[in-house]
Each structure stands twice: as structure tokens, then as C-alpha cells.
Amino acid sequence: MPEKKKGEWHIEVAAAQTIGSRARQEDNEGSVVGKVDGRPAQLVALADGMGGMKNGDLFSKTAVEAVIHEFVSRTYQNVPPWMILAQLTLIANREAAALQQEKEKGGTTLILALIVSNHLYFASAGDSRIDLWRQGTLLQLNRRHVLGDLLDERACLGVIDEEIARNSLCRNAISSSIGEERLKSIDLNDRAIHLMRDDYVVLMSDGVFGTLDDGEICGLIDPGESVKQTAEKIIRQVESKRKEKQDNATVAICRWMKV
């Protein structure tokens, strides 16, 4: 990579994970630099294999590898970044769905972040999260695809009773995921989020935000540290909780900064 010059803007990326108390690691993550309209573009992917199904690790690995391979092997000219992410998500779903013919049923969540200059775009399927940390405040960007959100929408429309929606035992069931014959939903932004100096883009599997609350995660981010230190600190904090049934936990962080 070319040496960074003083005063230049660049993206710092790092990730960390723990297996938790599970028998195997079913989370996967990856990042790569490609080009969009001739400009360097950072792609970050995080996938959480669905633990209730077999081969979750294979499905998450397949999804991440598919999007990274496709992104670096193509030249994108005059294609809106949100459309690139939609295409990558569909390709990941196609590759994962093909596994259904060979393996027992499985699936995975998928979160993608694409940063072109200081413009952030994201796409997601499933219940993993992408957040923006800015000046001490953590904001969730995507809508998680879980049954609880659908029930709440129906309750607001008067289709079902609010109490039924609130007390459903299936609120955390995933309503859209990678590996389905037909992907039900993709959450994405078609208008860029403009990143500012020392903004952090945080991708997380539910093993992180299901263990740490937003205040804890927010308090662990320190612009005085590298993103590698921050990612590792978040995972250490997850492990320190010593939950009896700790899920796999993975965090991938991007920081927009000046050298």
C-alpha cells in the first residue's frame, strides 16, 4: 500500500472476535479495498451464521468470501454505491442458497459497509447491526430483520393487539437472512452518510450487542487509541461478562481520520 502522507484522510479498519461458550466459531468478517468510479473504496463485511441450523460457519464464510471476491474482481463505473451493495447482497444470497442443495439447511446474517471518500453506504440482511459513533454518541443505522419489528408494525396498524406483539416469544426470530431461495428483505441507504473526522463505523454480531448495552459500547470507543485496540477492548469486555451461554461475538470497526 502507498505510504500515507501527513494531512491526508484515510480509513483505519480492524476486527476482533471471541468464540464465547459455543463449540465453534460461526461468525466471519473480512475487508478489502476496491475502486468505485476510479476512487479507492473500502468494503467491510460481517456475517453471523445462524446457530439454530447446521453449517452456520460455512454459510457465513461463503457469504463474506462471495462479496469480497465479487467486489475486487469488478470495475464499477457510474453505478450508485447503494446498488453495488444490493448486488453484492444478492450474490451472497445466491452462493449461500446454492449450498442448500449440498448441505443441510443453513443461513447467515450479513452486514456490508462501503466507504467511498467520506461517504458511507450500508446494506444488511438479518439481525446484525451497523452503528455510527460520533463524538460520544452511538447511533444504530440499520433496521434489524426480526419478527418483533414486524409485529410492532402490525400493532401500529391495528392488525394485531399491542400486548400480543409485545409479549410474543418469537420476537427475536430472524425474518430475513442470507441463504434463502428468495431473499425477503434488504435494509440499505440510497443517500450517503457523510463521515466526519474521527467517526467510527461499527459492525457487530448479536454476541456483542446482546451482551453489552449501547452505553458500554459507546464508552469503550476512544479516539486516542487505534481501532485494533478498540475492537479488542470491546471483545474483552464481552468475555468479562462470563455469560453462561455466550454467543460468538465479532466486531469490525472503521474509523475516518486524518494522518
Side-chain angles (χ1 to χ4, degrees):
M1 291 184 64
E3 184 179 350
K4 298 180 181 68
K5 298 178 181 178
K6 187 173 178 60
E8 285 186 338
W9 292 94
H10 76 286
I11 303 165
E12 187 182 15
V13 182
Q17 63 180 190
T18 179
I19 195 172
S21 61
R22 297 297 175 88
R24 59 184 177 181
Q25 177 60 263
E26 296 187 323
D27 290 355
N28 272 280
E29 55 78 28
S31 63
V32 69
V33 176
K35 285 194 174 182
V36 174
D37 292 330
R39 295 177 294 171
Q42 178 76 57
L43 177 71
V44 181
L46 186 150
D48 177 1
M50 294 165 67
M53 303 177 179
K54 292 184 178 180
N55 304 304
D57 52 344
L58 177 59
F59 278 79
S60 63
K61 183 174 184 286
T62 297
V64 170
E65 289 182 348
V67 298
I68 288 179
H69 178 268
E70 179 70 13
F71 184 66
V72 297
S73 64
R74 286 193 56 185
T75 300
Y76 296 98
Q77 291 288 343
N78 301 316
V79 183
W82 67 267
M83 188 174 293
I84 294 173
L85 291 181
Q87 292 171 351
L88 292 175
T89 304
L90 291 173
I91 287 168
N93 190 67
R94 182 192 68 195
E95 295 299 311
L99 291 175
Q100 305 280 11
Q101 308 299 322
E102 307 171 14
K103 304 288 183 180
E104 200 165 328
K105 186 174 175 60
T108 183
T109 71
L110 181 65
I111 283 276
L112 301 177
L114 179 61
I115 303 174
V116 186
S117 297
N118 68 325
H119 295 166
L120 167 66
Y121 297 86
F122 67 83
S124 69
D127 66 348
S128 296
R129 260 175 59 174
I130 178 168
D131 288 24
L132 175 68
W133 183 95
R134 176 176 291 171
Q135 298 179 353
T137 300
L138 192 68
L139 174 67
Q140 182 175 335
L141 300 178
N142 69 316
R143 184 174 68 169
R144 296 168 61 217
H145 296 136
V146 292
L147 185 58
D149 285 357
L150 296 178
L151 292 174
D152 291 342
E153 287 180 9
R154 292 181 180 181
C156 288
L157 293 171
V159 177
I160 62 174
D161 186 78
E162 288 186 13
E163 187 174 352
I164 293 176
R166 186 169 55 251
N167 296 325
S168 171
L169 298 178
C170 300
R171 286 188 61 84
N172 290 323
I174 295 176
S175 57
S176 179
S177 62
I178 298 297
E180 301 172 342
E181 183 177 347
R182 182 176 179 274
L183 185 59
K184 296 185 180 71
S185 299
I186 303 175
D187 196 41
L188 48 78
N189 62 317
D190 60 356
R191 293 186 179 182
I193 296 170
H194 294 262
L195 298 177
M196 299 171 59
R197 180 172 185 166
D198 288 333
D199 276 356
Y200 286 72
V201 180
V202 186
L203 290 73
M204 299 176 279
S205 64
D206 63 351
V208 176
F209 61 81
T211 302
L212 306 179
D213 62 35
D214 286 5
E216 289 177 288
I217 297 169
C218 193
L220 292 169
I221 297 176
D222 180 0
E225 300 177 336
S226 69
V227 292
K228 179 176 175 59
Q229 290 173 310
T230 301
E232 291 175 346
K233 187 165 61 173
I234 289 173
I235 293 303
R236 286 199 302 271
Q237 184 69 7
V238 169
E239 293 175 329
S240 74
K241 299 294 183 177
R242 300 184 181 279
K243 285 180 63 175
E244 183 179 353
K245 295 182 179 180
Q246 175 62 55
D247 196 0
N248 301 151
T250 301
V251 61
I253 303 176
C254 308
R255 179 186 181 188
W256 178 250
M257 62 185 295
K258 184 179 285 188
V259 178

